[in-house]
C-alpha cells in the first residue's frame, strides 16, 4: 500500500528478498526502449511499483485478440507486441534486492546485458526458487522485475518518510532532454486528449506551452479554446481550470484530486514540481545586492539541447491504447496518425 514501507519475501521459504520499500506509481516509460543507450535505474532507491497489466513473455500479436479479450486486458487500440505474461509484477531498483543469486543463462534475447527471458533470471539464495528477472541491457531501464506469485508482500508497519516535492529539471546530466520528462509528458498528452473531448485547449504562457503546445496544435482542431488547462496541486488554487495537471496523491497513488472540479491529469512528482514550483534555476543563487527572486543574466548561459522538446511518442501511444475512449473514431484517428 502507499505511504508505508513493505518488504518482499520468498513465498517458498520466507527469506527477505528486498530492503524495506515504499510503493509509488509505475513510471510511464517502464517498458519502453531507448536505442543503444546505457540507462539508469528505473526506480529510485527505497521504492517499488506494481504493473497491474500483463507484462513480459510470452508475447503474441494484436490480431490474435478479439475485442472482448482485448477489453479484458485493458487494451482499446493496437499494441505490438501483446504481453500474455503475468499481471502484478513488482519492479524495484537493483540495489534494493537482497538474498538472491543471478542466473545469466536465463536472460532473454539481449545485446550487451540482461533482459526478461522465458524464465526468471534471479533465484532465492535460500531455497533456489525463481523469483525475479534482472534487466540492464542497452536501451532498457535498469531494474529487477519480481514475479508476483513467487513472493509475498509483508508490511513493516513503518510509515514512509515525508517527501518534499523536489523539482526534476527537464535536462539530463548529459545536456539532452530528460527521458523521464519525455515519457511523462507523452503519457499526459494522451490523457489531455481524452479530457479535451476533441475541443481545443488553452494553455498558459510559459513552459507548459513549450512542452504541450506544438503536439496539441497538431492533434486538435483550431478555434477558440473552450477549455482551460493549468497546474493544480497542494498549495495551488485550481479555480477556473477545466483540466488540471497535478502530482500523484501520496496516499492513493492516483491523481491528486482538484478541489474545484477540474479533470486531473497526473505527472510524476519531480516533473510537476518543476512546472509548478520552479524556484531558483541556477546552481549558484543570486547574491550580493540583487533583490530576492532576481536571477543573474550573465554568462555562461544554461545548457539547452539543439533540438526541440518532444513528448515521447511511444509513451503517448501506449497510454492512449489503454484508455477506453481510444475506440471513439476521432481519438482512434489521432492514435493512428500521431503527432
Amino acid at each position: 500500500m502507499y505511504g508505508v514501507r513493505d518488504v518482499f519475501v520468498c513465498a517458498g521459504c520466507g527469506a527477505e528478498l528486498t530492503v524495506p520499500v515504499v510503493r509509488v506509481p509505475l513510471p510511464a516509460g517502464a517498458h519502453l526502449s531507448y536505442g543503444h543507450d546505457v540507462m539508469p535505474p528505473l526506480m529510485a532507491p527505497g521504492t517499488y511499483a506494481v504493473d497491474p497489466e500483463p507484462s513480459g513473455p510470452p508475447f503474441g500479436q494484436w490480431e490474435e485478440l478479439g475485442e472482448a479479450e482485448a477489453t479484458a486486458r485493458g487494451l482499446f487500440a493496437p499494441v505490438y507486441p501483446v504481453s500474455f505474461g503475468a499481471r502484478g509484477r513488482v519492479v524495484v531498483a537493483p540495489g534494493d534486492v537482497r538474498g538472491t543469486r543471478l542466473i545469466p543463462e536465463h536472460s532473454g534475447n539481449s545485446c550487451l546485458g540482461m533482459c526478461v527471458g522465458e524464465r526468471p533470471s534471479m533465484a532465492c539464495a535460500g531455497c533456489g526458487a525463481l523469483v525475479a528477472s534482472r534487466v540492464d541491457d542497452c536501451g532498457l531501464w535498469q531494474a529487477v522485475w519480481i514475479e508476483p506469485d513467487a513472493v509475498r508482500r509483508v508490511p513493516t508497519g513503518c510509515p514512509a518518510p515525508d517527501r518534499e516535492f523536489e523539482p526534476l529539471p527537464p535536462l539530463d546530466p548529459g545536456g539532452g532532454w530528460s527521458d523521464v520528462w519525455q515519457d511523462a509528458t507523452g503519457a499526459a498528452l494522451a490523457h489531455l486528449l481524452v479530457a479535451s473531448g476533441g475541443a481545443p485547449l488553452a494553455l498558459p504562457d510559459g513552459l507548459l506551452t513549450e512542452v504541450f503546445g506544438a503536439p496539441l496544435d497538431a492533434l486538435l482542431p483550431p478555434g477558440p479554446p473552450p477549455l482551460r488547462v493549468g497546474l493544480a496541486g497542494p498549495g495551488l488554487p485550481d479555480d477556473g481550470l477545466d483540466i488540471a495537471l497535478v502530482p500523484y496523491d501520496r496516499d492513493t497513488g492516483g491523481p491528486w484530486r482538484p478541489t474545484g472540479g477540474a479533470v486531473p491529469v497526473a505527472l510524476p512528482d519531480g516533473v510537476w514540481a518543476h512546472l509548478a514550483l520552479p524556484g531558483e534555476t541556477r546552481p549558484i543563487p543570486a547574491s550580493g545586492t540583487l533583490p530576492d527572486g532576481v536571477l543573474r543574466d550573465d554568462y555562461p548561459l544554461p545548457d539547452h539541447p539543439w533540438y526541440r522538446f518532444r513528448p515521447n511518442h511511444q509513451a503517448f501511444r501506449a497510454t492512449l491504447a489503454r484508455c477506453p475512449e481510444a475506440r471513439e473514431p476521432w481519438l482512434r484517428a489521432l492514435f493512428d496518425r500521431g503527432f
Side-chain angles (χ1 to χ4, degrees), residues 5-329:
R5 291 187 177 99
D6 300 315
V7 170
F8 288 90
V9 304
C10 176
C13 67
E16 292 189 359
L17 302 178
T18 70
V19 300
V21 286
V22 63
R23 185 173 179 179
V24 297
L26 183 72
H31 297 298
L32 302 185
S33 59
Y34 305 81
H36 205 67
D37 294 339
V38 175
M39 301 298 290
L42 174 68
M43 305 302 296
T47 67
Y48 76 94
V50 179
D51 190 346
E53 300 177 1
S55 64
F59 293 99
Q61 295 301 311
W62 170 259
E63 290 74 15
E64 300 174 28
L65 300 178
E67 183 172 325
E69 185 176 359
T71 300
R73 292 177 174 274
L75 299 175
F76 305 94
V79 172
Y80 295 94
V82 176
S83 172
F84 289 83
R87 294 179 184 268
R89 280 194 168 98
V90 176
V91 61
V92 297
D96 286 340
V97 176
R98 300 290 185 270
T100 61
R101 58 182 179 85
L102 196 63
I103 310 174
E105 57 268 28
H106 284 189
S107 176
N109 186 21
S110 58
C111 179
L112 299 177
M114 297 186 68
C115 63
V116 176
E118 296 296 330
R119 304 178 68 193
S121 60
M122 301 179 74
C124 172
C127 67
L130 299 179
V131 294
S133 294
R134 173 67 189 263
V135 175
D136 58 11
D137 200 15
C138 48
L140 301 177
W141 295 103
Q142 296 184 42
V144 170
W145 288 90
I146 300 174
E147 296 297 317
D149 295 335
V151 298
R152 290 186 292 109
R153 179 182 63 85
V154 178
T156 66
C158 298
D162 290 335
R163 292 180 293 138
E164 297 292 332
F165 285 102
E166 183 176 347
L168 175 70
L171 297 180
D172 63 28
W177 294 117
S178 161
D179 289 312
V180 173
W181 265 73
Q182 291 178 300
D183 295 345
T185 53
L189 180 62
H191 290 299
L192 285 173
L193 282 184
V194 171
S196 77
L201 300 179
L203 296 167
D205 292 336
L207 191 52
L208 272 184
T209 294
E210 292 182 34
V211 169
F212 293 110
L216 285 175
D217 287 344
L219 292 165
L220 294 175
L227 300 177
R228 284 189 58 205
V229 179
L231 292 158
L236 290 183
D238 58 275
D239 294 341
L241 295 181
D242 300 293
I243 304 170
L245 292 160
V246 300
Y248 285 97
D249 189 286
R250 302 285 176 87
D251 295 323
T252 67
W256 185 88
R257 303 300 300 184
T259 58
V263 176
V265 172
L267 290 168
D269 285 1
V271 176
W272 176 84
H274 186 88
L275 290 165
L277 314 168
E280 173 66 63
T281 58
R282 287 183 56 87
I284 301 177
S287 60
T289 59
L290 289 176
D292 291 341
V294 175
L295 305 181
R296 291 182 180 274
D297 60 359
D298 54 357
Y299 290 97
L301 294 174
D303 293 332
H304 196 282
W306 60 267
Y307 55 97
R308 186 175 186 176
F309 180 89
R310 188 177 178 85
N312 188 306
H313 193 261
Q314 293 183 78
F316 167 75
R317 285 177 60 87
T319 302
L320 191 54
R322 289 163 174 81
C323 296
E325 295 84 355
R327 284 185 173 157
E328 297 177 13

